[in-house]
Amino acid sequence: MAVSGRFVLLALVGLVPVLLLPRWGTFFLVAGTLVALAAIDLVLAGSPRRIRIVRREPGNVTLHATAESVLTVTNAGGRRLRGTLRDAWQPSAGAHNPVQNMDIPAGESRRVTVRLLPVRRGDLKAPHVTVRSFGPLLLAARQRTIDCPGMLRVLPPFHSRRHLPSKLRKLRELDGKAAVQIRGAGTEFDSLRDYVRGDDVRSIDWRATARRSAVVVRTWRPERDRRVVMVLDTSRTTAARIGDEPRLDTGMEAALLLGVLAERGGDRVDFLAFDRRTRARAGSAGKGNLLGQLVQAMAPLEAELIELDWSAIPAHVRSLSAHRSLVVLLTSLEGGAPEEGLIPTAVQLARRHVVVVAAVRDPQLGLMLQERDTAAGVFRAAAAERALLQRAAVTAELRQHGVEVVDAEPQELPPRLADMYIRLKAAGRL
């Protein structure tokens, strides 16, 4: 049972004669009248136990987009139901109108729509719905909480999609729409053409030359159907916020752009989210489009407050691809001790694969370097300088062992990683 504000107001009004005429008889008369009215009102209220609620799942939505949770409320009782309904979405779901008024005659149904504007990626839940039914006098109400679970999956927004057309244009030019000639192993035969001065004599096709009585050379194009393995770090270092989003979300943006670009380029893509165990997997070898698989796999990911098990990564890469592949490690350059984790693992992988380490750099470091007006500013600038020097040292050591490094600020990391993929493709290293 719930007591309404109107009941409290009437109770205060009823105390006036008691204060003016302080007699016990008057007090009991007023109090008894109010209790009787509330009891009658409660009896006449529609029963919330006779309410049936069916929820239509809102499905999936990208971050900061609008979704709707639709509830069909049926009054199976014999009395009219006047009251309120509260849909108990968690705060990050951004429910704009979770509490709504209802007026449902007996035996009829009404549809209630709750607008959602999520502010957080992942699986957002509403475990139940609370119904409060008032009587005709609105003095008292009956309330019941009904289990009606709902879930909204909020997908990564994929802001870096805007870079995809320009990167695909470069990839198509590389793939034969522009005259590109690549030497060395790891390329595919494209076509034959007449020899011109400056061509490599090793490209001459002697059999075709003998048949045509003219010197003919082979042209080559970058190989298709290569393997791209992306490993996303979900350990504690990815929980740090860089700019407006966690480092983990920036890594997702870079992985989405690279994955879609590589798939459009004809390569096979595998994705792995890992810290001490596998958090998510996706790949272009499965059913459905790769982008849909990637966003579904990434949506529930959260940074785990544990260290990354670097020693297990080579085995996981082998399980995904037994051939020479492009292995992209989306991680941090300053997390833990790089000389004990990142560097040995990257070097081990580089003996068999082409390895790229992609890391996001905090733009605040550059701003701190310029603030030297006060003593505190000088100390901050020194700390920023030290952090940048450490990143530069790790980068230099990785490159010394043949590992490519993409170290960029959040907005620049996805396009620069895509450019690295295109350069490696153009150089015939994939």
Side-chain angles (χ1 to χ4, degrees), residues 227-271:
R227 301 293 184 91
V228 178
V229 179
M230 301 181 296
V231 181
L232 178 64
D233 179 3
T234 57
S235 66
R236 63 174 184 83
T237 58
T238 60
R241 296 190 70 87
I242 306 296
D244 296 332
E245 63 184 10
R247 181 178 283 143
L248 177 63
D249 288 36
T250 305
M252 290 181 185
E253 286 287 326
L256 286 171
L257 180 60
L258 176 60
V260 175
L261 180 64
E263 186 197 33
R264 300 281 182 86
D267 294 337
R268 175 176 171 178
V269 179
D270 289 288
F271 170 78

Side-chain angles (χ1 to χ4, degrees), residues 52-56 70-74 109-112:
R52 303 290 180 266
I53 299 179
V54 177
R55 183 191 298 274
R56 190 181 73 191
V70 180
L71 300 170
T72 302
V73 184
T74 302
S109 300
R110 294 291 185 271
R111 183 173 295 174
V112 176

Side-chain angles (χ1 to χ4, degrees), residues 235-237 307 310 332-342 390:
S235 66
R236 63 174 184 83
T237 58
E307 293 290 341
W310 285 103
S332 169
L333 290 178
E334 69 271 7
E339 64 278 1
E340 298 178 4
L342 170 62
Q390 289 177 340

Side-chain angles (χ1 to χ4, degrees), residues 156-168:
F158 194 16
H159 295 307
S160 57
R161 185 195 298 267
R162 64 184 183 273
H163 300 289
L164 188 58
S166 62
K167 305 306 177 186
L168 282 174

Side-chain angles (χ1 to χ4, degrees), residues 361-399:
R361 183 176 66 248
D362 192 348
Q364 190 66 26
L365 294 176
L367 298 177
M368 291 169 61
L369 286 176
Q370 303 172 6
E371 298 175 358
R372 301 172 183 264
D373 299 334
T374 62
V378 171
F379 280 112
R380 285 194 292 268
E385 184 73 28
R386 179 181 178 85
L388 291 173
L389 288 175
Q390 289 177 340
R391 296 177 72 92
V394 173
T395 299
E397 187 168 355
L398 287 170
R399 287 174 175 164

Side-chain angles (χ1 to χ4, degrees), residues 29-266:
L29 176 63
V30 173
T33 302
L34 291 175
V35 171
L37 289 175
I40 294 172
D41 202 35
L42 193 64
V43 170
L44 295 178
S47 174
R49 294 185 177 276
R50 304 297 303 274
I51 295 297
R52 303 290 180 266
I53 299 179
V54 177
R55 183 191 298 274
R56 190 181 73 191
E57 291 287 351
N60 301 331
V61 66
T62 56
L63 185 63
H64 303 307
T66 303
E68 291 183 347
S69 174
V70 180
L71 300 170
T72 302
V73 184
T74 302
N75 181 9
R79 296 189 181 92
R80 191 181 195 93
L81 178 71
R82 303 178 184 86
T84 59
L85 176 145
R86 182 180 184 275
D87 198 3
W89 284 98
Q90 61 191 84
S92 54
H96 281 201
N97 52 344
V99 179
Q100 298 193 30
N101 295 325
M102 297 186 305
D103 188 354
I104 309 176
E108 296 188 12
S109 300
R110 294 291 185 271
R111 183 173 295 174
V112 176
T113 301
V114 179
R115 292 180 61 249
L116 306 173
L117 184 63
V119 297
R120 180 180 178 183
R121 175 186 49 76
D123 291 336
L124 308 181
K125 299 178 180 179
H128 52 255
V129 174
T130 300
V131 175
R132 178 174 290 183
S133 173
F134 288 93
L137 300 178
L138 302 180
L139 295 178
R142 303 164 71 179
Q143 180 171 302
R144 183 187 179 204
T145 297
I146 303 171
D147 290 334
C148 186
M151 188 182 76
L152 172 67
R153 170 158 287 190
V154 184
L155 307 176
F158 194 16
H159 295 307
S160 57
R161 185 195 298 267
R162 64 184 183 273
H163 300 289
L164 188 58
S166 62
K167 305 306 177 186
L168 282 174
R169 193 158 48 245
K170 291 182 181 179
L171 197 60
R172 291 192 186 103
E173 292 175 358
L174 179 66
D175 202 25
K177 292 195 174 181
V180 177
Q181 187 173 355
I182 302 174
R183 295 183 299 173
T187 59
E188 288 184 351
F189 171 74
D190 185 25
S191 61
L192 296 173
R193 63 171 175 81
D194 292 337
Y195 174 86
V196 296
R197 182 172 296 181
D199 284 338
D200 191 342
V201 295
R202 291 176 295 181
S203 298
I204 297 176
D205 189 316
W206 295 107
R207 292 187 178 181
T209 298
R211 288 195 300 268
R212 294 181 55 182
S213 301
V215 180
V216 177
V217 295
R218 297 176 179 175
T219 59
W220 309 87
R221 65 179 180 182
E223 285 192 26
R224 300 175 67 86
D225 196 25
R226 305 298 293 171
R227 301 293 184 91
V228 178
V229 179
M230 301 181 296
V231 181
L232 178 64
D233 179 3
T234 57
S235 66
R236 63 174 184 83
T237 58
T238 60
R241 296 190 70 87
I242 306 296
D244 296 332
E245 63 184 10
R247 181 178 283 143
L248 177 63
D249 288 36
T250 305
M252 290 181 185
E253 286 287 326
L256 286 171
L257 180 60
L258 176 60
V260 175
L261 180 64
E263 186 197 33
R264 300 281 182 86

